[in-house]
């Protein structure tokens, strides 16, 4: 006779009940719930079909972060005013390697947002094939209202607390929205001052002190390399196609740069104030001007549009523009179901996420049900963290590789992620469900490592 306790432990997961319970417990964290729901919808059927994953509380453990660190950042700004902000680091899962993931400085940052980003990071990092666990952090500050001195003072105050919880073999932060090479430099300087260590504790560093070639470009370039794999697989073209890009930050502008290099027409870039619409596409010189001026926060998209005779759509997103492909590269929830329907009507046939979760769950279903190829960020934007992983490797070796070497690795990694998505996402008719493929492809290594390491 089968032991009834053992039998009940090995019962398959009930998707609805599991997600229902999660939704109740975390009703106040809708972003986190969306990320987990999208994951479990494809993972639970897979787990139920593979009994080795049953009976060990695996999914229950996987959806809870190892720890959430919250702290106060008190600091004196350059005017001598006392300022107080809230800092976070969510260390979600380190089954396959040290915690790894970016830091976001944004006034709207909440525990919910950091948790969803950290959860996504676990499976994205696994997909890269490199040994990295998942984490995310940041602070609820608006870097746009700070001058350079205040940015430095804030980064130092932030690191005064964060340094207790990070280390090159334990947790390695990087950039994200509002955190670029400048902020990473100040954070690194303070870590070094506090610990006397010159180690790979952060990635996205300047080239003079351990940064990797191609890291600034990696997320955007990787996104286009992934799109090229998708298009080749589906016998579709990139050259001459009209592409919508949202955002005008690190990911968006490097996505646009690689798209232009590949002969595509980039018809939009955007930010929180509006959209620059380029009906016949943007030329490389125009993009380079924008990169120089936008990264220094010296120009607005309105000025850019005016300078080159483009159309400026104040307060609008790019999604109403007719196009073939879309690359949302700004932030979460840029595209809802209503917007998705409009994009389908306008002829969009491929959506590749450069940002993390820019598409709501409802909108992703609209794309999938309309036959639009939809690629989730955990597959398509993994190039950034992949090169972060290679920055860690180079730091450990005390070496640095050339631009060509690192770009070669990036291309190979994005190709491998695509193969993995096909392996686990292809259906009987040969169509690829990239959500399913990326989720299962990322899950297996983390799950197997957790099983091997026991209940800890
Ligand atoms: P940046 O700070 O460089 O740029 C962010 C861009 O998005 C800016 O143009 C900003 O406009 C816009 N934006 C931010 N919030 C909003 C909003 N609420 N509405 C409209 N536009 C907004 O960040 P990144 O380019 O690094 O990051 C962009 C996305 O890519 C994020 O989702 C991030 O998590 C993801 N990502 C980043 C990686 C990296 O390596 N940097 C790696 C993988 C994913 P404005 O300046 O007006 O605020
Ligand atoms: O979302 C992401 O993958 C990032 N912000 C990059 C993380 C990293 O550690 O490079």
């Amino acid at each position: 006779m089968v032991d009834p306790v053992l039998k009940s432990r090995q019962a398959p997961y009930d998707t609805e009940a599991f997600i229902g319970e999660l939704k109740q417990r975390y009703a106040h964290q809708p972003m986190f719930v969306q990320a987990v729901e999208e994951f479990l919808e494809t993972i639970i059927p897979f787990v139920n079909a593979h009994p080795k994953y049953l009976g060990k509380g695996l999914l229950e453990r996987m959806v809870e972060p190892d720890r959430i660190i919250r702290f106060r950042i008190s600091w004196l700004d350059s005017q001598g005013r006392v300022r107080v902000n809230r800092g976070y680091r969510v260390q979600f899962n380190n089954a396959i390697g040290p915690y790894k993931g970016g830091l976001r400085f944004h006034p709207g940052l909440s525990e919910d947002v950091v948790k969803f980003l950290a959860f996504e990071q676990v499976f994205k990092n696994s997909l890269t094939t490199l040994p990295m666990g998942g984490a995310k952090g940041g602070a609820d500050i608006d870097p746009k209202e700070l001058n350079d001195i205040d940015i430095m003072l804030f980064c130092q105050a932030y690191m005064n607390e964060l340094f207790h919880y990070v280390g090159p073999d334990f947790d390695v932060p990087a950039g994200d929205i509002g955190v670029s090479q400048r902020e990473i430099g100040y954070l690194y300087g303070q870590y070094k001052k506090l610990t006397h260590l010159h180690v790979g504790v952060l990635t996205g560093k300047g080239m003079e002190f351990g940064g990797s070639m191609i890291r600034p470009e990696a997320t955007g370039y990787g996104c286009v390399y992934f799109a090229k794999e998708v298009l080749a697989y589906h016998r579709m073209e990139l050259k001459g196609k009209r592409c919508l890009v949202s955002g005008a930050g690190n990911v968006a502008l490097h996505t646009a740069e690689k798209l232009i290099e590949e002969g595509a027409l980039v018809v939009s870039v955007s930010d929180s104030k509006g959209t620059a619409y380029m009906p016949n596409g943007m030329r490389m010189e125009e993009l380079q001007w924008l990169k120089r001026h936008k990264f220094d926060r010296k120009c607005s998209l309105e000025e850019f549009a005016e300078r080159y005779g483009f159309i400026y759509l104040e307060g609008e997103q790019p999604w109403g523009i007719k196009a073939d492909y879309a690359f949302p590269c700004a932030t979460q929830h840029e595209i809802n179901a209503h917007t998705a329907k409009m994009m389908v009507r306008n002829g969009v046939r491929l959506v590749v996420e450069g940002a993390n979760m820019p598409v709501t769950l409802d909108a992703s279903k609209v794309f999938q049900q309309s036959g639009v190829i939809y690629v989730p960020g955990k597959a398509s934007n993994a190039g950034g963290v992949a090169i972060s992983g290679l920055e860690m490797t180079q730091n450990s070796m005390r070496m640095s590789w050339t631009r060509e070497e690192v770009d070669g690795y990036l291309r190979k990694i994005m190709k491998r992620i695509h193969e993995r998505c096909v392996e686990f996402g292809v259906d009987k008719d040969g169509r690829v469900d990239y959500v399913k493929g990326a989720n299962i492809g990322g899950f297996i290594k983390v799950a197997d490592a957790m099983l091997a390491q026991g209940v800890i």
Side-chain angles (χ1 to χ4, degrees), residues 89 99-104 117 120-121 124-125 132 135-136 172-177 203-204 215 219 251 354-356 377 381-389 392:
R89 187 72 180 163
Y99 300 109
K100 180 85 196 84
L103 298 173
R104 179 177 291 193
L117 289 163
E120 290 280 289
Q121 200 79 46
K124 181 196 305 194
N125 291 4
M132 299 182 287
K136 201 84 184 192
V172 183
D176 194 79
I177 291 179
T203 60
R215 176 61 190 90
T219 311
V251 179
N356 285 307
N381 73 31
V385 73
I387 301 308
S388 275
M392 291 164 70

Side-chain angles (χ1 to χ4, degrees), residues 9-13 46-59 61 420 443-452:
R9 284 216 200 107
Q10 285 180 334
Y13 284 98
F46 178 79
V47 164
N48 287 345
H50 295 81
K52 74 165 178 170
Y53 296 124
L54 293 172
K56 285 147 189 141
L58 189 68
L59 295 184
R61 288 189 277 147
R420 196 121 173 112
F443 165 84
I444 291 174
K445 194 160 67 159
V446 179
D448 289 349
M450 286 174 72
L451 292 187

Side-chain angles (χ1 to χ4, degrees), residues 124 127-129 226 378-380 382-383 386 412-422 437-438:
K124 181 196 305 194
L127 279 169
T128 65
T129 70
F226 196 92
K378 66 168 75 74
S380 45
K412 271 193 215 141
I413 288 172
M414 298 316 291
K415 192 175 163 58
R416 242 181 292 160
I417 298 175
H418 184 264
E419 285 164 2
R420 196 121 173 112
C421 289
V422 173

Side-chain angles (χ1 to χ4, degrees), residues 29 42 104 112-113 130 166 197 236 248 318 431:
Q29 296 185 334
T42 52
R104 179 177 291 193
D112 180 22
V113 170
L130 302 171
V166 295
L197 297 173
M236 289 160 72
R431 272 191 304 259

Side-chain angles (χ1 to χ4, degrees), residues 183-296:
E183 289 74 19
I184 294 293
Y186 293 144
L187 290 163
Y188 189 78
Q190 189 67 2
Y191 180 86
K192 187 163 61 73
K193 176 92 181 164
L194 291 165
T195 62
H196 298 182
L197 297 173
H198 224 312
V199 289
V201 68
L202 290 157
T203 60
K205 299 183 290 295
M207 300 304 149
E208 310 78 15
F209 54 97
S212 173
M213 296 307 265
I214 300 280
R215 176 61 190 90
E217 298 89 342
T219 311
Y221 282 14
C223 204
V224 179
Y225 295 155
F226 196 92
K228 283 182 67 183
E229 295 295 327
V230 175
L231 293 169
Y233 185 85
H234 290 84
R235 298 198 167 78
M236 289 160 72
E237 283 284 325
L238 182 55
K239 213 168 171 174
K241 296 293 179 193
R242 292 168 64 78
C243 297
L244 298 173
V245 174
S246 69
N250 172 284
V251 179
L253 297 186
H254 289 112
T255 297
E257 183 171 81
K258 190 52 81 178
L259 284 172
I260 296 171
E261 215 179 288
E262 294 289 335
L265 299 177
V266 174
V267 295
S268 72
V269 286
S270 68
D271 63 15
S272 53
K273 298 197 180 65
T275 292
Y277 171 34
M278 292 79 69
N280 300 315
M282 175 171 26
R283 287 191 316 215
M284 193 55 106
E285 313 83 85
E286 293 156 354
L287 175 83
Q288 294 309 331
W289 187 91
L290 183 61
K291 261 176 79 178
R292 273 198 309 279
H293 291 82
K294 192 70 179 151
F295 283 164
D296 291 344

